[in-house]
Amino acid sequence: MPTSSDDGPSWSDIADWYDELLVAGSGPHEHAIECLDRLLPPIGEGTAVLDVACGQGLAARHLANLGALVTGTDNSANMLANARRHAEQAGAEISWVEADAQDLAPFADASFDLVTCQLALMDIPDLDAALRAIRRVMRSDASLVFVIGHPVFLTPGARMEPGADGTTEVTISGYLREHFWRSANPEGVRRAGNYQRTLSTYLTALAGAGLRIVEAEELGATGRLAEERPAYAQVPMFFSARAVTVF
Ligand SMILES: C[S@@+](CC[C@H](N)C(=O)[O-])C[C@H]1O[C@@H](n2cnc3c(N)ncnc32)[C@H](O)[C@@H]1O
């Protein structure tokens, strides 16, 4: 599969723009937090959580508010700088570690009770390596909860239009062509690029890494996202799941 080594912006290049987007309030990101939340196992004080590809720390701060002992990791120093600033302002005690999700090298084997990865598996070039690294740092009874852009409905050529009787008509193209692509929208998150992969690729990669899905969801939008983009109340924007380790 072609990789992200072309000339477009990197996540670090758009880190401040991304931060401003989330600070202003973003329907998709609020929806992602809801998707994540619904699949979280019980979290108590001292539950050790690793938030992989944490960006500016939206999910990490949410998990810290629930009482978890959170480490946020990302390979973008600019994203982590914003994450640190927000946590300090909020008085949240979160550790931030720069690392590549494809090896999670700074982290010891079996060191977390929960790994989360929100809106990022589709941005990581080597999915198999990332899931193996995640599996490696999970304790035997740990969960992985992830949220991804829906592999079917967010394809590069997907279009949504109002249909008859309040339905939504969706046109999908390019679903089966796995490749790295960038949105042409200069104000779009996906101008930093992402990997189109089929749903079966995700499921096979999870199984190959020794992870078994125990819950999955394709949640219709509510709240801000439903107001801003009502079509996503009928068609899922994200696919989310909780997976556990296979012995
Ligand atoms: C769409 S953002 C999501 C950030 C955050 N999880 C959220 O929900 O706002 C994708 C993130 O993945 C990170 N990322 C991409 N490839 C990565 C890799 N190989 N290792 C670690 N982080 C990576 C980017 O730096 C970026 O912060």
Side-chain angles (χ1 to χ4, degrees):
M1 189 187 296
T3 65
S4 55
S5 55
D6 62 19
D7 287 339
S10 68
W11 286 103
S12 262
D13 292 336
I14 68 164
D16 288 346
W17 172 88
Y18 188 78
D19 184 49
E20 283 165 23
L21 177 80
L22 269 58
V23 168
S26 155
H29 291 86
E30 289 174 14
H31 184 55
I33 288 284
E34 187 186 354
C35 293
L36 190 81
D37 226 12
R38 290 167 60 94
L39 296 179
L40 290 176
I43 289 179
E45 269 194 38
T47 302
V49 181
L50 181 66
D51 186 38
V52 172
C54 63
Q56 56 84 276
L58 179 70
R61 290 189 298 282
H62 178 71
L63 291 155
N65 281 340
L66 298 177
L69 209 59
V70 183
T71 302
T73 180
D74 200 286
N75 69 349
S76 159
N78 292 351
M79 286 280 187
L80 288 174
N82 287 326
R84 266 193 201 95
R85 177 171 49 82
H86 287 303
E88 276 166 23
Q89 282 166 0
E93 283 193 27
I94 300 174
S95 305
W96 305 104
V97 179
E98 192 174 326
D100 187 336
Q102 295 163 127
D103 56 29
L104 296 175
F107 304 106
D109 293 2
S111 47
F112 292 96
D113 302 305
L114 170 65
V115 177
T116 52
C117 188
Q118 176 175 287
L119 303 183
L121 286 178
M122 64 280 186
D123 300 320
I124 296 171
D126 191 337
L127 176 67
D128 294 314
L131 289 172
R132 277 197 306 270
I134 286 171
R135 169 67 184 85
R136 180 182 64 73
V137 302
M138 289 168 70
R139 295 190 172 125
S140 58
D141 58 351
S143 290
L144 161 68
V145 179
F146 68 88
V147 181
I148 54 175
H150 200 294
V152 177
F153 297 110
L154 295 190
T155 61
R159 300 277 173 277
M160 289 203 190
E161 280 166 307
D165 304 325
T167 58
T168 297
E169 288 181 1
V170 186
T171 309
I172 303 294
S173 65
Y175 173 67
L176 288 175
R177 190 164 84 84
E178 299 204 321
H179 66 299
F180 178 79
W181 69 284
R182 293 177 187 275
S183 162
N185 177 1
E187 290 302 310
V189 169
R190 291 183 294 168
R191 71 184 190 277
N194 66 137
Y195 292 84
Q196 168 62 24
R197 298 181 175 115
T198 62
L199 187 54
S200 54
T201 291
Y202 281 102
L203 300 180
T204 303
L206 284 157
L211 292 161
R212 180 169 58 87
I213 288 186
V214 288
E215 289 177 271
E217 234 181 358
E218 295 165 291
L219 189 66
T222 58
R224 189 195 296 260
L225 181 60
E227 277 168 35
E228 289 172 356
R229 303 176 73 179
Y232 283 111
Q234 298 177 42
V235 174
M237 181 177 262
F238 300 139
F239 176 87
S240 48
R242 181 168 76 87
V244 296
T245 62
V246 179
F247 296 100

